[in-house]
Amino acid sequence: DAGITQSPRHKVTETGTPVTLRCHQTENHRYMYWYRQDPGHGLRLIHYSYGVKDTDKGEVSDGYSVSRSKTEDFLLTLESATSSQTSVYFCAIRPGGEETQYFGPGTRLLVL
Amino acid sequence: GENVEQHPSTLSVQEGDSAVIKCTYSDSASNYFPWYKQELGKRPQLIIDIRSNVGEKKDQRIAVTLNKTAKHFSLHITETQPEDSAVYFCAAILNNDMRFGAGTRLTVKP
């Protein structure tokens, strides 16, 4: 499973509260990604990182911010959660020299 | 950005039959096309991929074909088994941006 963990695995929160999801990897991969998965949309890229403190926006970045202060951790923050951000969030890594991305186990987020 | 369309959205086959899932992409510069299988409640898992300089790739009962001119690629599963039941996603990568199709729910009936 490419040494990727996500925490928490499940979270229920209320509209307007901040939420931070964590992706942790153990193999020093440079590239890390955050996706959300919703019925009928497949997976959509939120943000990605190509190194410590180096991040860029993806297709659906509005309402999300990220931080990467250490190689092994990539944090996704919802500054003020909305019901439209109810989703399953997957982190992914891309090993150096490959184009393939490998996914973490996912975090199921419900915003009430 | 890249746009990937996937058909059909659902597919039901009898065990032992073949299944074909088709995807089209919009940007001719896309150069890598992975396929993922996702079982209920699990993470997407890579099952096969193809690069733009290759027309076909096989791995046991799974094959992928790519037509760069038409900008479409397909997943072929032969001799389907109940454990092939899952949601399958195609994707296209351009400049570190991977865009997914909406998925195909494959059901293999015993």
Side-chain angles (χ1 to χ4, degrees), chain A residues 36-38 42-43 88-90 103-106 108, chain B residues 35-47 83-89 100-106:
Chain A
R36 61 177 289 173
Q37 183 174 36
D38 305 289
L43 292 100
V88 180
Y89 291 85
F90 285 98
F103 289 88
R108 191 172 294 273
Chain B
W35 285 88
Y36 288 86
K37 175 184 179 182
Q38 187 177 29
E39 297 175 347
L40 188 63
K42 300 290 182 62
R43 73 189 79 190
Q45 299 262 22
L46 179 77
I47 55 171
E83 51 265 39
D84 294 329
S85 296
V87 179
Y88 292 81
F89 293 96
F100 286 82
T104 296
R105 182 175 301 280
L106 173 65

Side-chain angles (χ1 to χ4, degrees), chain A residues 8-26:
Chain A
R9 294 294 313 281
H10 303 270
K11 187 168 181 66
V12 180
T13 191
E14 293 187 350
T15 298
T17 60
V19 176
T20 296
L21 308 182
R22 179 185 184 229
C23 178
H24 179 78
Q25 54 127 340
T26 59

Side-chain angles (χ1 to χ4, degrees), chain A:
Chain A
D1 292 333
I4 311 168
T5 57
Q6 292 184 230
S7 58
R9 294 294 313 281
H10 303 270
K11 187 168 181 66
V12 180
T13 191
E14 293 187 350
T15 298
T17 60
V19 176
T20 296
L21 308 182
R22 179 185 184 229
C23 178
H24 179 78
Q25 54 127 340
T26 59
E27 299 181 5
N28 276 332
H29 298 301
R30 180 180 169 196
Y31 285 89
M32 299 183 74
Y33 306 80
W34 275 108
Y35 290 89
R36 61 177 289 173
Q37 183 174 36
D38 305 289
H41 289 279
L43 292 100
R44 292 179 291 174
L45 181 65
I46 304 171
H47 283 278
Y48 68 95
S49 170
Y50 46 97
V52 173
K53 297 192 185 335
D54 290 324
T55 64
D56 206 348
K57 294 179 180 180
E59 182 186 1
V60 291
S61 59
D62 287 350
Y64 301 95
S65 62
V66 289
S67 66
R68 191 160 178 209
S69 58
K70 299 185 291 185
T71 299
E72 58 265 36
D73 288 326
F74 192 30
L75 304 181
L76 177 71
T77 297
L78 291 64
E79 302 289 349
S80 177
T82 68
S83 58
S84 65
Q85 293 176 311
T86 291
S87 187
V88 180
Y89 291 85
F90 285 98
C91 172
I93 58 91
R94 178 161 72 90
E98 293 187 36
E99 295 177 75
T100 306
Q101 294 181 24
Y102 299 92
F103 289 88
T107 294
R108 191 172 294 273
L109 176 67
L110 174 60
V111 183
L112 299 174

